Amino acid sequence: MADLLVYRAEGEAVAHGSDLYGFTVTEWRLPATYPPFAAVLFVPTTWIPVPALKAAFLAGNALLLACLVALSARLAGRTAPLPVLCTATALTLWLEPVFQTLLFGQINLAITCLVLWDLTRPPGARAKGLALGIAAGVKLTPAIFIAYLLLTARRKEAGVATASFAGTALLGALFLPTATMDFWTRRLFETGRVGKAWIVDNQSLQGLIARATGAEAPGLAWSLPAAVLAATGLWLATRAHRAHRADRADRADRTHRTDRTHRADGDRWGILLTAFTALLVSPISWSHHWVWCVPLLAVLLAETRTALALTTAALFTARTMWLLPHQGDRDLHLPWWQQPFAAPYPLLGLALLAGAAVALRPRSHALPETQPSAPSALSVPSARSSSASTMR
C-alpha cells in the first residue's frame, strides 16, 4: 500500500512540523502531492501501527466500494437491494481501477463517493455543494464539477462548493502557512512530482499523446488539445443536462401536469461526461483514478445497454497495458499497433465524448428514450481498446 504510506508520512510531517513537500517514501521515492488540507486530514493515520492502518484502510475501502455501488445505482435511477449490492460490490472488485485503489491504499473511492453523493442529492438540499468543495480541497480534480454547476445555472450550489473549497485552503493555511504558500505558488505546477507522464500507468490524454509521439514532455501537442477537449467536454455535459430538462418539460406538456418529483438519474450523463473529461485532461490520471467506471457501468445497465456494458466491463478488467513491454523507457518506444492497448481508458473516454456529440447533435432536442423508467439516455459508442493499470 505505497500511497497509504505517503499519506501517513504527510500526517507525520504535519504532526512533527517538518517539511511537507521535502520528503520521499517507499522504494519508488514517492513525495507528497496533495494540498496541505489533505495532509492535516492524514494526521490520524499516525496514531496506529502500520499493519493495523493497512487493515483499516482495506476494510474502509471495501465499505466505500459498496457505498459507491449504491450511489451509482441512485445515479442510474435504481435502488440496490442488499443481495444485489453485495453481489455488485464483489464483482466490481475485478475492475482494474478498483482493485488498484485497494492495492495501493488510495482515497479515490472516498473522493468519488463525496462527489457523487453531493451531486445526486435533490435540488435545494441543505448545503448541497459542501461535500464537492471538500473533495476538491483534498484532490483538486473534482473542482471541474464546480464549473459544470455554473454552466448549468446552479449558481447557489456552485457558490457553496466554491466557498467550501476556499475554506479547505484557508484551513490548510491556518495549520500549515509555509506549506500552503509552497504548494499554491510552486508545487501545484510541478506535475513531474506526481510521476512520469509517459509511462503506461498514466491513462490521461497527455499519457496517450506522449507515448504515441515518443516525447517525454509533449508540450503544446498535449496542452492545446487538452484545452479544446476540456471546453468540449463541459459543453457536451451542459447540453446533456439541458436536453434532460427539455425532455422532462415535454413530458409534462404531453401529460398536462407538472413533474415535481426529483430523479437522481436526471443528471446522469452530465455528471459522467464531466467526470471523464476531468480524467482525460488532467496531466496525470493513474489507472486507479478511473473508478468512475463503476457509475458508468451502472448507468449503461440501467438503460439496458447490456452489450455495451459488458464491453466496457471487459475493457476495465483486461489489464492489457501490463502485458506490454514497459520496463525503463520502453513505454516511449511501443509500435503503433500496441498503442491502443497501452491507452484503453483515454480511448474509452474519447469514445464516450464522441458518442455524446453524436447523440446531442442540434437536430435532436432531447436525448433518445430507451424505456419508461429511464427518462433520458445517451448513446455511447463502444471503445475498441483494452485495459490495465498500476502505479510505479
Side-chain angles (χ1 to χ4, degrees):
M1 292 187 171
D3 290 332
L4 175 57
L5 297 180
V6 177
Y7 303 154
R8 194 172 194 273
E10 291 185 35
E12 289 179 337
V14 175
H16 300 149
S18 55
D19 185 0
L20 178 58
Y21 300 108
F23 69 82
T24 58
V25 293
T26 78
E27 61 185 287
W28 297 284
R29 300 184 63 81
L30 301 175
T33 58
Y34 293 171
F37 172 72
V40 173
L41 297 181
F42 295 145
V43 170
T45 64
T46 66
W47 298 345
I48 58 177
V50 172
L53 179 63
K54 289 182 177 180
F57 246 70
L58 184 61
N61 267 331
L63 290 174
L64 285 168
L65 179 57
C67 180
L68 178 59
V69 170
L71 288 170
S72 298
R74 184 163 84 174
L75 177 71
R78 300 289 188 271
T79 57
L82 186 59
V84 174
L85 179 64
C86 293
T87 302
T89 301
L91 290 174
T92 53
L93 284 170
W94 291 93
L95 298 172
E96 189 270 348
V98 173
F99 179 81
Q100 296 292 357
T101 291
L102 271 67
L103 180 65
F104 290 127
Q106 257 284 344
I107 59 172
N108 302 308
L109 293 173
I111 297 297
T112 307
C113 284
L114 276 174
V115 173
L116 203 52
W117 173 78
D118 208 358
L119 292 177
T120 56
R121 297 167 68 203
R126 175 180 291 185
K128 185 173 183 180
L130 178 66
L132 171 58
I134 293 174
V138 173
K139 212 164 183 178
L140 297 185
T141 311
I144 192 173
F145 286 99
I146 300 178
Y148 171 63
L149 291 175
L150 282 172
L151 290 171
T152 52
R154 288 174 280 186
R155 296 179 181 84
K156 180 180 178 180
E157 296 169 10
V160 171
T162 301
S164 175
F165 176 55
T168 65
L170 290 175
L171 280 174
L174 178 64
F175 287 100
L176 301 166
T178 302
T180 297
M181 180 65 68
D182 187 22
F183 178 82
W184 294 106
T185 62
R186 178 185 172 194
R187 304 298 184 178
L188 175 62
F189 307 101
E190 295 177 348
T191 55
R193 282 176 57 84
V194 182
K196 299 179 179 68
W198 46 270
I199 58 178
V200 293
D201 311 52
N202 183 21
Q203 291 293 295
S204 70
L205 181 67
Q206 179 175 216
L208 184 157
I209 293 175
R211 290 186 294 271
T213 60
E216 293 187 11
L220 290 178
W222 161 72
S223 58
L224 291 180
V228 173
L229 191 63
T232 302
L234 284 171
W235 177 72
L236 289 171
T238 304
R239 287 288 306 275
H241 173 79
R242 291 174 178 170
H244 162 73
R245 292 185 63 184
D247 179 63
R248 188 169 62 179
D250 288 343
R251 288 171 179 271
D253 289 342
R254 288 197 301 268
T255 58
H256 304 289
R257 62 185 176 86
T258 301
D259 181 7
R260 297 184 182 276
T261 61
H262 165 69
R263 294 183 60 92
D265 63 327
D267 209 17
R268 58 171 71 163
W269 284 111
I271 292 172
L272 288 174
L273 290 171
T274 303
F276 280 83
T277 297
L279 290 166
L280 283 168
V281 303
S282 176
I284 301 288
S285 288
W286 303 129
S287 71
H288 52 75
H289 292 168
W290 289 75
V291 291
W292 279 94
C293 63
V294 176
L296 173 62
L297 287 169
V299 168
L300 292 175
L301 289 172
E303 295 180 353
T304 64
R305 301 171 186 272
T306 308
L308 187 53
L310 291 175
T311 302
T312 303
L315 184 147
F316 280 106
T317 56
R319 296 164 165 81
T320 54
M321 71 178 69
W322 304 119
L323 302 178
L324 302 176
H326 56 272
Q327 295 77 19
D329 66 347
R330 299 181 72 180
D331 314 58
L332 286 172
H333 306 290
L334 298 173
W336 66 268
W337 62 271
Q338 290 182 347
Q339 294 293 337
F341 298 100
Y345 300 173
L347 290 177
L348 171 74
L350 291 171
L352 184 67
L353 294 184
V358 172
L360 294 166
R361 282 177 295 182
R363 64 178 178 80
S364 177
H365 297 290
L367 297 178
E369 297 181 21
T370 55
Q371 58 184 32
S373 59
S376 62
L378 182 61
S379 297
V380 184
S382 61
R384 185 175 303 170
S385 42
S386 308
S387 121
S389 216
T390 276
M391 179 173 143
R392 289 183 218 174

